[in-house]
PDB file of all heavy atoms in Angstrom:
ATOM      1  N   PRO A 286       3.704 -76.214 110.863  1.00 96.00           N
ATOM      2  CA  PRO A 286       3.848 -75.024 111.610  1.00 96.00           C
ATOM      3  C   PRO A 286       5.216 -74.362 111.314  1.00 96.00           C
ATOM      4  O   PRO A 286       6.244 -75.106 111.021  1.00 96.00           O
ATOM      5  CB  PRO A 286       3.808 -75.385 113.100  1.00 96.00           C
ATOM      6  CG  PRO A 286       4.315 -76.882 113.070  1.00 96.00           C
ATOM      7  CD  PRO A 286       3.945 -77.331 111.690  1.00 96.00           C
ATOM      8  N   ALA A 287       5.359 -73.048 111.305  1.00 95.00           N
ATOM      9  CA  ALA A 287       6.578 -72.324 111.064  1.00 95.00           C
ATOM     10  C   ALA A 287       6.825 -71.178 111.993  1.00 95.00           C
ATOM     11  O   ALA A 287       5.814 -70.425 112.286  1.00 95.00           O
ATOM     12  CB  ALA A 287       6.631 -71.864 109.675  1.00 95.00           C
ATOM     13  N   LEU A 288       8.058 -70.900 112.578  1.00 94.00           N
ATOM     14  CA  LEU A 288       8.278 -69.859 113.413  1.00 94.00           C
ATOM     15  C   LEU A 288       9.457 -69.001 112.711  1.00 94.00           C
ATOM     16  O   LEU A 288      10.397 -69.496 112.240  1.00 94.00           O
ATOM     17  CB  LEU A 288       8.785 -70.265 114.765  1.00 94.00           C
ATOM     18  CG  LEU A 288       7.912 -71.241 115.638  1.00 94.00           C
ATOM     19  CD1 LEU A 288       8.581 -71.578 116.888  1.00 94.00           C
ATOM     20  CD2 LEU A 288       6.570 -70.497 115.788  1.00 94.00           C
ATOM     21  N   ALA A 296      12.754 -73.950 122.060  1.00 88.00           N
ATOM     22  CA  ALA A 296      13.195 -75.300 121.787  1.00 88.00           C
ATOM     23  C   ALA A 296      12.607 -75.930 120.540  1.00 88.00           C
ATOM     24  O   ALA A 296      12.072 -77.006 120.532  1.00 88.00           O
ATOM     25  CB  ALA A 296      12.953 -76.231 123.021  1.00 88.00           C
ATOM     26  N   TRP A 297      12.626 -75.075 119.524  1.00 90.00           N
ATOM     27  CA  TRP A 297      11.923 -75.363 118.284  1.00 90.00           C
ATOM     28  C   TRP A 297      12.683 -76.240 117.294  1.00 90.00           C
ATOM     29  O   TRP A 297      13.786 -75.840 117.019  1.00 90.00           O
ATOM     30  CB  TRP A 297      11.422 -74.058 117.580  1.00 90.00           C
ATOM     31  CG  TRP A 297      10.611 -74.192 116.379  1.00 90.00           C
ATOM     32  CD1 TRP A 297      10.959 -73.971 115.169  1.00 90.00           C
ATOM     33  CD2 TRP A 297       9.249 -74.775 116.311  1.00 90.00           C
ATOM     34  NE1 TRP A 297       9.828 -74.232 114.193  1.00 90.00           N
ATOM     35  CE2 TRP A 297       8.842 -74.725 115.013  1.00 90.00           C
ATOM     36  CE3 TRP A 297       8.296 -75.199 117.365  1.00 90.00           C
ATOM     37  CZ2 TRP A 297       7.546 -75.189 114.584  1.00 90.00           C
ATOM     38  CZ3 TRP A 297       7.172 -75.674 117.069  1.00 90.00           C
ATOM     39  CH2 TRP A 297       6.710 -75.562 115.627  1.00 90.00           C
ATOM     40  N   THR A 298      12.033 -77.317 117.032  1.00 90.00           N
ATOM     41  CA  THR A 298      12.847 -78.208 115.982  1.00 90.00           C
ATOM     42  C   THR A 298      12.134 -78.240 114.667  1.00 90.00           C
ATOM     43  O   THR A 298      12.529 -78.954 113.744  1.00 90.00           O
ATOM     44  CB  THR A 298      12.912 -79.690 116.562  1.00 90.00           C
ATOM     45  OG1 THR A 298      11.563 -80.194 116.863  1.00 90.00           O
ATOM     46  CG2 THR A 298      13.637 -79.681 117.737  1.00 90.00           C
ATOM     47  N   GLY A 299      10.888 -77.565 114.552  1.00 89.00           N
ATOM     48  CA  GLY A 299      10.277 -77.456 113.329  1.00 89.00           C
ATOM     49  C   GLY A 299      10.804 -76.518 112.415  1.00 89.00           C
ATOM     50  O   GLY A 299      12.002 -76.070 112.433  1.00 89.00           O
ATOM     51  N   PHE A 300      10.047 -76.081 111.323  1.00 94.00           N
ATOM     52  CA  PHE A 300      10.482 -75.146 110.250  1.00 94.00           C
ATOM     53  C   PHE A 300      10.736 -73.875 110.896  1.00 94.00           C
ATOM     54  O   PHE A 300       9.922 -73.160 111.609  1.00 94.00           O
ATOM     55  CB  PHE A 300       9.507 -75.045 109.141  1.00 94.00           C
ATOM     56  CG  PHE A 300       9.956 -74.440 107.926  1.00 94.00           C
ATOM     57  CD1 PHE A 300      10.781 -75.032 106.920  1.00 94.00           C
ATOM     58  CD2 PHE A 300       9.833 -72.926 107.881  1.00 94.00           C
ATOM     59  CE1 PHE A 300      11.190 -74.331 105.830  1.00 94.00           C
ATOM     60  CE2 PHE A 300      10.317 -72.217 106.735  1.00 94.00           C
ATOM     61  CZ  PHE A 300      10.878 -72.977 105.782  1.00 94.00           C
ATOM     62  N   LYS A 301      11.893 -73.248 110.509  1.00 94.00           N
ATOM     63  CA  LYS A 301      12.230 -71.781 110.783  1.00 94.00           C
ATOM     64  C   LYS A 301      12.021 -70.891 109.629  1.00 94.00           C
ATOM     65  O   LYS A 301      12.926 -71.115 108.729  1.00 94.00           O
ATOM     66  CB  LYS A 301      13.566 -71.811 111.523  1.00 94.00           C
ATOM     67  CG  LYS A 301      13.616 -72.549 112.763  1.00 94.00           C
ATOM     68  CD  LYS A 301      15.035 -72.601 113.296  1.00 94.00           C
ATOM     69  CE  LYS A 301      15.137 -73.483 114.512  1.00 94.00           C
ATOM     70  NZ  LYS A 301      16.462 -73.419 115.104  1.00 94.00           N
TER      71      LYS A 301
END
Side-chain angles (χ1 to χ4, degrees):
L288 301 183
W297 183 247
T298 58
F300 188 88
K301 297 177 182 178

